[in-house]
Amino acid sequence: MDLEWAIDTSGQLRWLQARPITTLPGDLNEMDTPLAGPSHVYTRCNIGEMMPGAFCPLTASVSGYAIDYAMQTTQVVARAQDSYATPWLQVGYFYGHMFLNMTEGTALSSGILGNSLEQFSMSICGRVVDELEAKPPKPFIPKLINTIRLSSHALSAGPAIRRLGDRIAAYPIPTSRDAKHVLQQLEAGVELYCYVTLVHVRSSSRAAVGANILESYLVRNAVKNGLDEHEGQAEAARLMAGAADVERHDGR
Protein backbone atom coordinates (compact mmCIF):
# COMPACT_ATOMS: atom_id res chain seq x y z
CA MET A 1 0.00 0.00 0.00
CA ASP A 2 1.02 3.60 -0.66
CA LEU A 3 0.31 5.41 2.63
CA GLU A 4 0.38 9.17 3.13
CA TRP A 5 0.33 10.80 6.54
CA ALA A 6 0.81 14.12 8.33
CA ILE A 7 1.17 15.43 11.87
CA ASP A 8 -1.30 18.14 12.87
CA THR A 9 -0.62 21.19 15.07
CA SER A 10 -1.32 19.19 18.23
CA GLY A 11 1.27 16.59 17.29
CA GLN A 12 -1.26 13.89 16.45
CA LEU A 13 -0.55 11.55 13.54
CA ARG A 14 -3.18 11.68 10.77
CA TRP A 15 -3.50 9.21 7.90
CA LEU A 16 -4.37 11.16 4.74
CA GLN A 17 -4.92 8.37 2.25
CA ALA A 18 -4.10 4.78 1.50
CA ARG A 19 -4.10 3.32 -2.00
CA PRO A 20 -2.50 0.53 -3.99
CA ILE A 21 1.02 1.18 -5.22
CA THR A 22 0.58 2.89 -8.59
CA THR A 23 3.61 1.29 -10.20
CA LEU A 24 2.01 -2.14 -10.07
CA PRO A 25 0.08 -3.26 -13.19
CA GLY A 26 -3.68 -2.82 -12.92
CA ASP A 27 -6.84 -3.68 -14.79
CA LEU A 28 -7.72 -0.77 -17.10
CA ASN A 29 -11.37 -1.81 -17.05
CA GLU A 30 -11.70 -2.16 -13.30
CA MET A 31 -13.57 1.15 -12.92
CA ASP A 32 -15.61 0.92 -16.15
CA THR A 33 -19.21 2.06 -15.95
CA PRO A 34 -21.92 -0.36 -17.13
CA LEU A 35 -23.07 -0.21 -20.74
CA ALA A 36 -26.43 1.49 -21.11
CA GLY A 37 -27.43 -1.15 -23.66
CA PRO A 38 -25.83 -4.04 -25.57
CA SER A 39 -26.15 -2.30 -28.95
CA HIS A 40 -25.48 1.26 -27.83
CA VAL A 41 -22.92 3.25 -29.81
CA TYR A 42 -20.32 5.21 -27.84
CA THR A 43 -17.81 7.71 -29.23
CA ARG A 44 -14.82 9.76 -28.13
CA CYS A 45 -15.76 12.50 -30.60
CA ASN A 46 -16.64 15.86 -29.09
CA ILE A 47 -16.09 14.85 -25.47
CA GLY A 48 -12.54 13.84 -26.36
CA GLU A 49 -11.79 17.48 -27.18
CA MET A 50 -12.93 18.57 -23.74
CA MET A 51 -11.28 15.64 -21.93
CA PRO A 52 -8.53 14.41 -24.25
CA GLY A 53 -6.49 12.30 -21.86
CA ALA A 54 -7.05 9.56 -19.35
CA PHE A 55 -8.07 10.63 -15.88
CA CYS A 56 -8.65 9.05 -12.51
CA PRO A 57 -11.92 7.59 -11.21
CA LEU A 58 -12.29 10.53 -8.81
CA THR A 59 -12.38 12.99 -11.70
CA ALA A 60 -14.78 10.73 -13.58
CA SER A 61 -17.08 10.48 -10.58
CA VAL A 62 -17.28 14.29 -10.40
CA SER A 63 -16.83 15.68 -13.92
CA GLY A 64 -18.29 12.67 -15.71
CA TYR A 65 -21.23 12.55 -13.33
CA ALA A 66 -21.89 16.28 -13.83
CA ILE A 67 -21.80 16.02 -17.63
CA ASP A 68 -24.16 13.06 -17.55
CA TYR A 69 -26.49 14.89 -15.17
CA ALA A 70 -26.61 17.98 -17.39
CA MET A 71 -27.24 15.98 -20.55
CA GLN A 72 -29.93 13.86 -18.93
CA THR A 73 -31.63 16.96 -17.55
CA THR A 74 -31.67 18.46 -21.05
CA GLN A 75 -33.22 15.25 -22.39
CA VAL A 76 -35.91 15.41 -19.70
CA VAL A 77 -36.72 19.04 -20.56
CA ALA A 78 -37.18 18.06 -24.21
CA ARG A 79 -39.14 14.96 -23.14
CA ALA A 80 -36.62 12.68 -24.79
CA GLN A 81 -36.66 10.70 -21.56
CA ASP A 82 -39.22 10.64 -18.77
CA SER A 83 -37.00 11.47 -15.81
CA TYR A 84 -33.43 11.49 -14.59
CA ALA A 85 -32.23 7.90 -14.58
CA THR A 86 -29.26 6.15 -13.06
CA PRO A 87 -25.96 7.97 -13.72
CA TRP A 88 -23.89 6.98 -16.74
CA LEU A 89 -26.73 6.95 -19.26
CA GLN A 90 -25.57 9.76 -21.58
CA VAL A 91 -21.84 9.23 -21.05
CA GLY A 92 -19.64 6.29 -20.17
CA TYR A 93 -16.24 5.78 -18.54
CA PHE A 94 -14.12 3.07 -20.17
CA TYR A 95 -10.36 2.46 -20.20
CA GLY A 96 -9.90 5.60 -18.12
CA HIS A 97 -11.55 7.82 -20.77
CA MET A 98 -14.93 9.48 -21.17
CA PHE A 99 -17.27 8.47 -24.01
CA LEU A 100 -20.55 9.91 -25.29
CA ASN A 101 -23.50 7.55 -25.66
CA MET A 102 -24.77 8.47 -29.12
CA THR A 103 -27.64 5.99 -29.01
CA GLU A 104 -29.25 7.82 -26.10
CA GLY A 105 -28.73 11.12 -27.91
CA THR A 106 -30.86 9.98 -30.86
CA ALA A 107 -33.97 10.25 -28.67
CA LEU A 108 -33.56 14.01 -28.73
CA SER A 109 -33.11 14.23 -32.49
CA SER A 110 -36.21 12.07 -33.02
CA GLY A 111 -38.36 14.15 -30.71
CA ILE A 112 -37.82 17.77 -31.82
CA LEU A 113 -38.26 19.74 -35.02
CA GLY A 114 -35.36 20.69 -37.27
CA ASN A 115 -33.14 17.79 -36.31
CA SER A 116 -32.42 14.31 -37.57
CA LEU A 117 -30.18 11.34 -36.94
CA GLU A 118 -27.86 12.54 -39.69
CA GLN A 119 -27.63 16.06 -38.27
CA PHE A 120 -27.01 14.68 -34.81
CA SER A 121 -24.22 12.44 -36.10
CA MET A 122 -22.65 15.28 -38.05
CA SER A 123 -22.74 17.62 -35.05
CA ILE A 124 -20.92 15.10 -32.84
CA CYS A 125 -18.64 13.17 -35.21
CA GLY A 126 -18.50 15.26 -38.36
CA ARG A 127 -19.93 12.35 -40.34
CA VAL A 128 -22.99 10.13 -40.43
CA VAL A 129 -22.56 7.16 -38.10
CA ASP A 130 -24.00 4.17 -39.94
CA GLU A 131 -24.19 2.03 -36.80
CA LEU A 132 -26.73 4.38 -35.21
CA GLU A 133 -30.40 3.49 -35.44
CA ALA A 134 -32.93 6.30 -35.26
CA LYS A 135 -35.63 6.01 -32.64
CA PRO A 136 -39.23 6.23 -33.93
CA PRO A 137 -40.04 9.89 -34.69
CA LYS A 138 -42.73 11.53 -32.62
CA PRO A 139 -45.81 13.16 -34.22
CA PHE A 140 -45.62 16.80 -35.27
CA ILE A 141 -47.50 18.32 -32.30
CA PRO A 142 -45.36 16.62 -29.61
CA LYS A 143 -42.28 17.56 -31.63
CA LEU A 144 -43.40 21.18 -31.71
CA ILE A 145 -44.06 21.24 -27.97
CA ASN A 146 -40.72 19.60 -27.20
CA THR A 147 -38.91 22.05 -29.47
CA ILE A 148 -40.51 25.00 -27.67
CA ARG A 149 -39.57 23.52 -24.29
CA LEU A 150 -35.97 22.92 -25.33
CA SER A 151 -35.65 26.34 -26.98
CA SER A 152 -37.01 28.09 -23.89
CA HIS A 153 -34.63 26.09 -21.71
CA ALA A 154 -31.67 27.10 -23.87
CA LEU A 155 -32.60 30.72 -24.50
CA SER A 156 -33.27 31.40 -20.81
CA ALA A 157 -29.68 30.52 -19.89
CA GLY A 158 -28.73 34.20 -19.68
CA PRO A 159 -30.23 34.89 -16.23
CA ALA A 160 -28.77 31.63 -14.91
CA ILE A 161 -25.33 32.68 -16.15
CA ARG A 162 -25.64 36.08 -14.46
CA ARG A 163 -26.55 34.42 -11.14
CA LEU A 164 -23.71 31.94 -11.40
CA GLY A 165 -21.05 34.14 -9.83
CA ASP A 166 -23.07 34.70 -6.67
CA ARG A 167 -23.83 31.00 -6.29
CA ILE A 168 -20.18 30.06 -6.66
CA ALA A 169 -19.07 32.82 -4.28
CA ALA A 170 -21.55 31.58 -1.67
CA TYR A 171 -20.00 28.11 -1.63
CA PRO A 172 -18.00 27.70 1.61
CA ILE A 173 -14.45 26.41 1.25
CA PRO A 174 -14.15 23.35 3.54
CA THR A 175 -12.05 24.30 6.57
CA SER A 176 -13.42 22.07 9.32
CA ARG A 177 -11.23 19.60 11.19
CA ASP A 178 -14.19 17.23 11.23
CA ALA A 179 -13.73 14.83 8.31
CA LYS A 180 -17.45 14.06 8.18
CA HIS A 181 -18.30 17.76 7.93
CA VAL A 182 -15.70 18.30 5.20
CA LEU A 183 -17.15 15.38 3.23
CA GLN A 184 -20.63 16.88 3.50
CA GLN A 185 -19.32 20.22 2.22
CA LEU A 186 -17.59 18.50 -0.69
CA GLU A 187 -20.80 16.65 -1.55
CA ALA A 188 -22.57 20.01 -1.66
CA GLY A 189 -19.80 21.19 -3.97
CA VAL A 190 -20.57 18.34 -6.37
CA GLU A 191 -24.19 19.49 -6.49
CA LEU A 192 -23.01 23.01 -7.34
CA TYR A 193 -20.66 21.64 -9.99
CA CYS A 194 -23.58 19.76 -11.57
CA TYR A 195 -25.57 22.99 -11.66
CA VAL A 196 -22.68 24.90 -13.25
CA THR A 197 -22.30 22.17 -15.88
CA LEU A 198 -26.03 22.31 -16.61
CA VAL A 199 -25.83 26.08 -17.13
CA HIS A 200 -22.94 25.52 -19.54
CA VAL A 201 -24.96 22.95 -21.50
CA ARG A 202 -27.95 25.30 -21.61
CA SER A 203 -25.73 28.09 -22.92
CA SER A 204 -24.16 25.83 -25.55
CA SER A 205 -27.62 24.64 -26.62
CA ARG A 206 -28.48 28.14 -27.78
CA ALA A 207 -25.92 27.83 -30.57
CA ALA A 208 -27.05 24.28 -31.34
CA VAL A 209 -30.68 25.33 -31.76
CA GLY A 210 -29.70 28.12 -34.14
CA ALA A 211 -27.33 25.87 -36.08
CA ASN A 212 -30.00 23.20 -36.61
CA ILE A 213 -32.53 25.75 -37.83
CA LEU A 214 -29.99 27.29 -40.21
CA GLU A 215 -28.90 23.94 -41.62
CA SER A 216 -32.47 22.70 -42.07
CA TYR A 217 -33.41 25.86 -43.97
CA LEU A 218 -30.36 25.77 -46.23
CA VAL A 219 -30.77 22.05 -46.99
CA ARG A 220 -34.42 22.53 -47.95
CA ASN A 221 -33.51 25.56 -50.02
CA ALA A 222 -30.75 23.64 -51.83
CA VAL A 223 -33.08 20.75 -52.67
CA LYS A 224 -35.75 23.21 -53.81
CA ASN A 225 -33.25 24.75 -56.23
CA GLY A 226 -32.31 21.36 -57.67
CA LEU A 227 -29.09 20.95 -55.71
CA ASP A 228 -27.96 18.10 -53.49
CA GLU A 229 -28.68 18.36 -49.76
CA HIS A 230 -24.93 18.21 -49.16
CA GLU A 231 -24.69 21.58 -50.88
CA GLY A 232 -26.98 23.01 -48.22
CA GLN A 233 -24.96 21.39 -45.44
CA ALA A 234 -21.75 22.79 -46.91
CA GLU A 235 -23.24 26.28 -47.08
CA ALA A 236 -24.35 26.02 -43.44
CA ALA A 237 -20.85 24.89 -42.43
CA ARG A 238 -19.32 27.79 -44.37
CA LEU A 239 -21.55 30.35 -42.66
CA MET A 240 -21.01 28.90 -39.19
CA ALA A 241 -17.25 28.71 -39.72
CA GLY A 242 -17.21 32.49 -39.98
CA ALA A 243 -19.35 33.05 -36.90
CA ALA A 244 -17.94 35.26 -34.16
CA ASP A 245 -18.29 35.11 -30.35
CA VAL A 246 -18.87 31.35 -30.36
CA GLU A 247 -18.34 29.60 -27.03
CA ARG A 248 -15.74 26.85 -27.15
CA HIS A 249 -14.97 24.09 -24.69
CA ASP A 250 -11.78 25.88 -23.63
CA GLY A 251 -13.65 29.12 -22.90
CA ARG A 252 -12.25 31.12 -25.84
Side-chain angles (χ1 to χ4, degrees):
M1 295 290 288
D2 178 11
L3 305 174
E4 295 185 12
W5 54 272
I7 298 176
D8 64 18
T9 54
S10 65
Q12 185 173 356
L13 178 67
R14 302 276 186 178
W15 290 111
L16 303 180
Q17 69 174 1
R19 61 186 179 184
I21 298 174
T22 54
T23 55
L24 296 178
D27 182 3
L28 290 177
N29 301 107
E30 183 178 2
M31 302 302 296
D32 283 4
T33 56
L35 291 172
S39 61
H40 282 215
V41 178
Y42 288 83
T43 181
R44 283 281 295 153
C45 293
N46 187 279
I47 199 170
E49 299 175 7
M50 181 170 57
M51 298 180 169
F55 50 95
C56 66
L58 176 61
T59 304
S61 65
V62 177
S63 297
Y65 174 83
I67 294 170
D68 185 75
Y69 168 81
M71 294 180 67
Q72 283 201 50
T73 301
T74 302
Q75 295 271 92
V76 172
V77 168
R79 293 178 176 171
Q81 66 183 69
D82 295 330
S83 60
Y84 177 79
T86 306
W88 308 112
L89 181 65
Q90 296 292 327
V91 299
Y93 178 62
F94 312 111
Y95 293 95
H97 291 76
M98 296 298 304
F99 290 77
L100 278 180
N101 185 342
M102 295 193 68
T103 300
E104 285 297 326
T106 59
L108 187 63
S109 61
S110 299
I112 61 175
L113 297 174
N115 206 323
S116 65
L117 177 69
E118 291 74 21
Q119 286 177 306
F120 172 67
S121 297
M122 290 290 293
S123 67
I124 299 297
C125 299
R127 66 176 180 86
V128 175
V129 179
D130 297 328
E131 295 84 356
L132 273 180
E133 297 181 4
K135 295 192 176 183
K138 294 185 178 181
F140 174 78
I141 296 300
K143 272 190 172 185
L144 177 61
I145 295 173
N146 295 345
T147 303
I148 294 173
R149 286 171 57 90
L150 180 61
S151 299
S152 299
H153 180 68
L155 297 176
S156 62
I161 294 173
R162 289 190 289 272
R163 293 191 298 266
L164 208 53
D166 292 336
R167 289 199 59 167
I168 294 174
Y171 173 70
I173 303 299
T175 56
S176 174
R177 292 180 178 273
D178 184 349
K180 183 178 180 180
H181 185 227
V182 170
L183 183 60
Q184 290 173 341
Q185 287 182 302
L186 291 175
E187 288 289 346
V190 173
E191 294 180 10
L192 176 60
Y193 188 67
C194 286
Y195 175 78
V196 172
T197 305
L198 176 58
V199 172
H200 168 71
V201 170
R202 289 175 65 184
S203 176
S204 300
S205 297
R206 293 184 296 185
V209 170
N212 287 334
I213 293 174
L214 175 64
E215 183 177 340
S216 296
Y217 170 78
L218 292 175
V219 167
R220 287 197 303 268
N221 193 53
V223 173
K224 180 180 178 181
N225 293 326
L227 301 174
D228 188 87
E229 64 178 21
H230 296 297
E231 297 287 341
Q233 292 173 344
E235 178 64 10
R238 185 188 68 79
L239 291 174
M240 287 186 284
D245 299 324
V246 177
E247 182 180 353
R248 290 172 32 148
H249 72 275
D250 56 7
R252 288 185 284 170

